[in-house]
Amino acid sequence: MRFSFATLDLVVLLSTWLPLSSALPTLPPLADYQIRNFQTINKIYQFTVYPRQEAIIAQVTSDSIPELEPLFSPTVSGRIQEIGNFTNFRHSIEYFFGLAPRPQGSMYSAIVEAELTQFSSDHPSIAASTVNFKVALDNPSKPGFGAPGTRTYTYLKQTGFWHFDEQGRVDYYDLYIPALNEFATILNGADFNSKLVQLLATKQICQGAQKLCKGKNTQYHPQIGLNIGGVLNALGLSPLLDLPLINQLGLGSLNLGELTCFAKLSAKSFGTFDKLWADTVTCRIVHLMLAEVDPDDHCEHVGPTGGGKCVEYPYYDRQFKDNTLFGDTRRFRSASYSTLST
Ligand SMILES: *[C@@H]1O[C@H](CO)[C@@H](O)[C@H](O)[C@H]1NC(C)=O
């Protein structure tokens, strides 16, 4: 025994004598800017909770979005690893709210909670945060989000740094989503490493692209003379040996524009959700979600050239071009630390 009865008596005596609170270290009060920065980031993430993003999405192409004006600078610019850079207000808004899952189609899921599990701000212009999104995966065969059925949950994490202008609006952000590929697998309930899943996803993208990108936004113009036999041949599939796979693909349901798209995209590498900034099908899956909220801006990213977004972009440029993106290589480091030697 470490304590004698006498010591214990003393502890009991002291704790009745001293109020408990004065025995604990007192927390320093938060500065106004700390409260403001926390609330700004928290409000941004609360707008991703379904159905709150719907009102924002409905306004993405309008000149002003009153709900977001206190939260984002009109010149906001940022990077989301490994998705891409979003160098203006419209693209940033589309990223933050257009990619929040919506319960529709075969992906019947949505964010139901967003919690800032980590937060620190020791300078009026800078904060670091981590958010855990709680994502509900509902059963698409039981329509009506939240309908009694088989609901399971998963989580998504986003972490990184924020920079605020003098009015406390976010003007720069540099954020990272870890393990996005595994999250996409859980979200879709599909193994994206399977060739069949990859080809079915490509087919779905093509049907979506032709439906959403019309008129001047059309990306895949029907290629006269293209036929299913030729497309299968180019894929290296044999009508004899791969018949089950070919049947499951059901390319016969595609029109000529969709088939043209399928021929072009199935020749590209499928890619991974852990590296979306590339000339891949996975990049186009994400940009099709953005094309759904803003076809004028995002259809060309889904197209054959990738429109400057779904293109190969060198490792160094993706990770380290802070100067072009943030106008400073130490945008997220308080100048006060400059005096410290490294
Ligand atoms: C943003 O990314 C694109 C490629 O997607 C690149 O061409 C462009 O230079 C980047 N912009 C900045 C400011 O880093």
Side-chain angles (χ1 to χ4, degrees):
M1 279 290 274
R2 213 180 133 199
F3 292 106
S4 68
F5 281 109
T7 342
L8 275 178
D9 283 349
L10 186 65
V11 170
V12 170
L13 190 74
L14 278 175
S15 61
T16 49
W17 181 50
L18 292 168
L20 191 62
S21 60
S22 70
L24 294 169
T26 47
L27 295 169
L30 290 172
D32 288 350
Y33 76 80
Q34 293 177 304
I35 298 170
R36 181 200 68 188
N37 291 349
F38 179 88
Q39 287 176 340
T40 299
I41 303 311
N42 189 46
K43 277 182 198 157
I44 289 173
Y45 283 131
Q46 294 315 314
F47 274 119
T48 66
V49 174
Y50 182 79
R52 288 181 211 142
Q53 83 267 42
E54 299 291 352
I56 306 292
I57 290 172
Q59 302 176 76
V60 287
T61 56
S62 55
D63 290 336
S64 97
I65 305 177
E67 297 94 310
L68 298 183
E69 261 153 39
L71 307 178
F72 288 100
S73 148
T75 60
V76 61
S77 163
R79 175 203 282 143
I80 309 282
Q81 295 293 9
E82 272 283 329
I83 297 183
N85 63 29
F86 300 89
T87 51
N88 60 40
F89 180 83
R90 182 159 160 182
H91 287 171
S92 296
I93 298 318
E94 287 166 355
Y95 159 73
F96 277 99
F97 310 105
L99 291 185
R102 302 156 95 180
Q104 58 185 25
S106 59
M107 204 180 70
Y108 218 66
S109 52
I111 294 170
V112 290
E113 261 171 56
E115 191 193 358
L116 283 172
T117 54
Q118 303 176 330
F119 188 88
S120 183
S121 181
D122 74 350
H123 186 280
S125 322
I126 301 162
S129 75
T130 301
V131 67
N132 284 2
F133 294 110
K134 183 177 185 182
V135 181
L137 309 168
D138 277 24
N139 185 342
S141 69
K142 303 215 163 119
F145 190 65
T150 47
R151 171 176 277 195
T152 55
Y153 295 98
T154 188
Y155 291 83
L156 181 69
K157 182 177 285 198
Q158 177 167 271
T159 190
F161 275 84
W162 306 86
H163 189 275
F164 305 86
D165 67 9
E166 293 202 332
Q167 285 142 273
R169 302 174 300 186
V170 170
D171 54 2
Y172 300 100
Y173 55 88
D174 190 11
L175 302 167
Y176 172 58
I177 301 175
L180 188 55
N181 202 58
E182 276 185 76
F183 173 77
T185 302
I186 295 168
L187 192 68
N188 291 280
D191 175 9
F192 287 105
N193 292 318
S194 132
K195 190 72 196 162
L196 176 65
V197 169
Q198 293 185 358
L199 291 173
L200 284 173
T202 307
K203 178 182 162 191
Q204 242 178 46
I205 289 304
C206 287
Q207 289 170 311
Q210 294 304 90
K211 194 172 124 223
L212 290 169
C213 303
K214 295 207 166 296
K216 68 170 176 33
N217 290 332
T218 304
Q219 299 300 314
Y220 299 95
H221 299 279
Q223 186 186 323
I224 310 300
L226 186 70
N227 60 54
I228 295 174
V231 174
L232 293 176
N233 201 23
L235 277 173
L237 294 175
S238 137
L240 227 64
L241 297 172
D242 302 303
L243 194 60
L245 179 78
I246 292 170
N247 282 340
Q248 276 174 291
L249 267 179
L251 296 184
S253 65
L254 298 182
N255 64 38
L256 194 54
E258 293 165 342
L259 189 66
T260 304
C261 165
F262 185 83
K264 295 212 159 127
L265 292 190
S266 57
K268 290 187 189 287
S269 93
F270 186 77
T272 152
F273 291 91
D274 285 339
K275 184 184 170 227
L276 287 165
W277 212 333
D279 185 9
T280 56
V281 177
T282 48
C283 179
R284 288 171 176 81
I285 291 177
V286 170
H287 281 274
L288 187 68
M289 290 173 75
L290 295 171
E292 193 173 333
V293 303
D294 188 352
D296 287 350
D297 266 31
H298 293 279
C299 275
E300 56 163 339
H301 309 148
V302 181
T305 68
K309 287 289 178 191
C310 291
V311 294
E312 291 303 316
Y313 199 55
Y315 163 75
Y316 179 86
D317 296 357
R318 295 200 314 275
Q319 305 287 342
F320 300 103
K321 272 195 144 180
D322 288 16
N323 218 12
T324 31
L325 213 46
F326 310 126
D328 192 331
T329 51
R330 291 186 184 157
R331 177 60 70 194
F332 303 93
R333 178 174 134 174
S334 156
S336 319
Y337 296 111
S338 309
T339 56
L340 302 180
S341 55
T342 47

